[in-house]
Amino acid sequence: MLKLVIYFNFIGLTLAKLPLRFKNGRFKIAQFTDLHYGEDEFTPWGPIQDKNSDHVMHSVLRSEQPNFVLFTGDTLTGNNIDSNATSYWKYVLSPCLERHTPWLMY
């Protein structure tokens, strides 16, 4: 039996330890990469892209119900964010937090 426990303490978001569990002998991972949240936040295009990414992420998590989510690549476009980046991190992670799905940024 494989048992992994991940502890999270990231940008003020703290979750209790979340054990990773198999469902029916399977372990499903969803990976989201290069989401680029916050890109061109002061143009009409940027916020629309963030909402499109939101829609895709929520759809994938709802339909696939992964045991674990991995974020890779450029999750935020830091050089284009003029506002507080912490709010973007909370926004990006909210689908996982709402579902109590363990996640990791790499």
Side-chain angles (χ1 to χ4, degrees), residues 3 6 10-11 14 17 21-22 24 47 54-55 57 75 80 89 96 102 105:
K3 182 177 180 182
I6 296 182
F10 186 71
I11 61 158
T14 304
K17 62 182 179 177
R21 301 179 194 275
F22 285 82
N24 299 322
D54 261 2
H55 177 71
M57 197 176 343
T75 306
N80 290 349
W89 284 116
C96 292
M105 298 242 172

Side-chain angles (χ1 to χ4, degrees), residues 47-66:
I48 290 171
Q49 296 310 308
D50 290 350
K51 287 182 183 181
N52 289 341
S53 295
D54 261 2
H55 177 71
V56 170
M57 197 176 343
H58 279 284
S59 295
V60 168
L61 295 178
R62 184 175 41 254
S63 66
E64 297 299 325
Q65 298 179 1

Side-chain angles (χ1 to χ4, degrees), residues 11 15-16 34 43 48 97 100:
I11 61 158
L15 296 178
D34 293 308
T43 69
I48 290 171
L97 297 174
H100 304 287

Side-chain angles (χ1 to χ4, degrees), residues 13-55:
L13 300 173
T14 304
L15 296 178
K17 62 182 179 177
L18 296 174
L20 303 179
R21 301 179 194 275
F22 285 82
K23 290 180 186 172
N24 299 322
R26 294 182 176 206
F27 188 81
K28 193 180 289 189
I29 299 172
Q31 179 182 3
F32 298 104
T33 190
D34 293 308
L35 296 171
H36 289 271
Y37 274 85
E39 187 160 334
D40 291 328
E41 70 177 347
F42 294 109
T43 69
W45 180 84
I48 290 171
Q49 296 310 308
D50 290 350
K51 287 182 183 181
N52 289 341
S53 295
D54 261 2
H55 177 71

Side-chain angles (χ1 to χ4, degrees), residues 72-99:
T72 59
D74 298 326
T75 306
L76 296 186
T77 301
N79 59 334
N80 290 349
I81 296 176
D82 194 40
S83 61
N84 187 341
T86 300
S87 62
Y88 275 103
W89 284 116
K90 290 179 181 178
Y91 185 67
V92 170
L93 297 173
S94 65
C96 292
L97 297 174
E98 290 167 6
R99 291 172 173 78

